[in-house]
Amino acid sequence: FDPAIGTEILVHRRIDSVTDRHPVVVAARACFPQAHRRFSGIALDVFYDHVLARHWRRHSEESLAAFSQRAYRALARHAACLPAPARHVAERMAAQDWLGAYADFDGVDAALAGIGRRLSRGGDVLAACAQDLRMHYRDLADGLAPLLRDLDRTATQARH
């Protein structure tokens, strides 16, 4: 990879690692019944994308639509660097405007169902996690601000 892309891949991995151990996420996983906890990380990742998209203007002066289009163009520009499965996902992502679709909870349902179809096991459990998210919506959504603050700090530190 180009060094700048390689750096961002490492930043992304660091963010994923910090997210998985973050107190907000650990507490959020406890909102899921034991039978759903194995897939709660995936459900929370999609949910936090939803909350971010729904309240996009709190975090950026750029519109969600403009950001999404810029992200899709970047994926298309670097498509040759992506493995074939990731390239196909990126194409579907742009064609179906996944980032914009997250602003509505139906986008969460669709994303969880789609991910569930690609799992060898647990797709039904992942889809059921949408009900857990709905039941604890407010508490889970309230956790996003402190999580984002810490992830922003993590990303800044990882880049330096």
Side-chain angles (χ1 to χ4, degrees), residues 29 32-47 102 105 107-134:
R29 284 191 179 135
F32 291 80
Q34 189 64 40
H36 296 177
R37 286 208 188 130
R38 180 169 181 235
F39 298 97
S40 64
I42 297 168
L44 287 167
D45 187 44
V46 171
F47 177 77
Y102 280 139
F105 202 88
V108 173
D109 287 326
L112 293 177
I115 295 166
R117 283 191 297 276
R118 291 188 297 277
L119 295 175
S120 59
R121 291 182 273 177
D124 292 340
V125 174
L126 186 56
C129 286
Q131 291 305 319
D132 303 322
L133 295 170
R134 278 186 179 88

Side-chain angles (χ1 to χ4, degrees), residues 23-87:
V24 166
V25 174
V26 171
R29 284 191 179 135
C31 292
F32 291 80
Q34 189 64 40
H36 296 177
R37 286 208 188 130
R38 180 169 181 235
F39 298 97
S40 64
I42 297 168
L44 287 167
D45 187 44
V46 171
F47 177 77
Y48 290 141
D49 287 345
H50 158 70
V51 176
L52 180 60
R54 186 174 176 101
H55 302 288
W56 185 260
R57 287 292 187 186
R58 293 180 187 172
H59 306 283
S60 179
E61 292 182 13
E62 181 180 25
S63 72
L64 178 58
F67 170 80
S68 298
Q69 290 308 309
R70 190 165 51 85
Y72 301 144
R73 283 192 304 273
L75 286 169
R77 194 170 47 252
H78 297 289
C81 298
L82 298 172
R87 189 170 41 249

